[in-house]
Amino acid sequence: MRTPSTQLINDTPSIYSVASVAVEPVIIRFNGSYEFPSIYRGPPSPEIDAAWNGIANNLTQMTREDILKGGTTEAELPWKARYPETIGGQYIGFMEAIHQLHCVNLLRQASWSEYYESIKEPLFQTTPRVLRAHIDHCVEMLRQNIMCHADTTMITWYWVQGKIHPIPDFSTRHRCRNFDKIWDWSIKNSVHIAETEVTRYPDTVNLPRPKSDEE
C-alpha cells in the first residue's frame, strides 16, 4: 500500500491552543518490547513517582483572547476560574496531554494500590466510591482521546523462533509531536500557586454541581 502524504496525515486541524506555538512534528520509533527498561515503569518507588510527577503536573495561564479563540463563548467566561490579580488575573488552564498523563499515572498507581495506600497517596485515602469514580473517569477520557486521534500506524506480525503463533511488533515508527519542546513551553509558562490562593471574582458564576460529585 502507498504511504499517505504528509498533507493527508495532517488533514485535521487542531483546536486553537496558546501552546500550539510549541508543536513540532517528529518521527519516533516506539519501543514496544515487554521488557523495555523505562523510568516510568516497574514496581513503585520514589524515583518512578518523581518521573511521573515530572510530566503529569503543570498549570499555565491564558488570556481572555486565548480562551475565546479556543471556543469558549462570552457567556461562558464568568464560569472560568482565574488567578488572583496579584499574579496577573489570567485564566487557569493546563494542557489536555498533561491530564491524559495524569490519568495514565492514576491507572498505574491503581495497579499497585497496596503500595499507594501504604504511603498515603491522597486519592487512595478517599472512599472507594470516589477512587472508583476517578479511575472510571480516566479510563473514559483516555478512550475518547484514543478514538479522537485514532493513530492509523500499522502494526505488523512476525514469526519468532520458539513461538507457535506469529507475534506483533509494537516497535513501529509514528508521526508524533515533540513532547520535550511542548513540555519546555509548559515549564516556561507554568504558574505555581496553591488552590487556597485562588480567589473568586465578583462576576463569578457557579456551574451546577453534578449529582455524581456530591460525595
Side-chain angles (χ1 to χ4, degrees), residues 126-131 133 209-215:
T126 59
T127 66
R129 177 185 173 188
V130 169
L131 178 60
R209 184 174 182 178
K211 291 184 179 180
S212 61
D213 191 39
E214 292 178 351
E215 186 171 344

Side-chain angles (χ1 to χ4, degrees), residues 44-89:
S45 68
E47 292 75 20
I48 289 180
D49 286 338
W52 276 99
N53 289 332
I55 61 172
N57 293 285
N58 218 348
L59 291 176
T60 189
Q61 54 184 333
M62 297 170 288
T63 66
R64 180 176 179 276
E65 290 72 25
D66 293 330
I67 291 285
L68 293 175
K69 285 181 181 179
T72 295
T73 65
E74 291 277 359
E76 294 173 308
L77 287 177
W79 300 339
K80 303 290 187 180
R82 293 160 59 192
Y83 292 108
E85 289 288 355
T86 53
I87 60 172

Side-chain angles (χ1 to χ4, degrees), residues 140-159:
E140 182 61 10
M141 288 301 298
L142 291 171
R143 178 197 66 79
Q144 290 181 65
N145 273 285
I146 291 170
M147 293 178 70
C148 172
H149 296 287
D151 188 343
T152 57
T153 302
M154 300 302 293
I155 297 172
T156 52
W157 294 58
Y158 292 84
W159 289 106

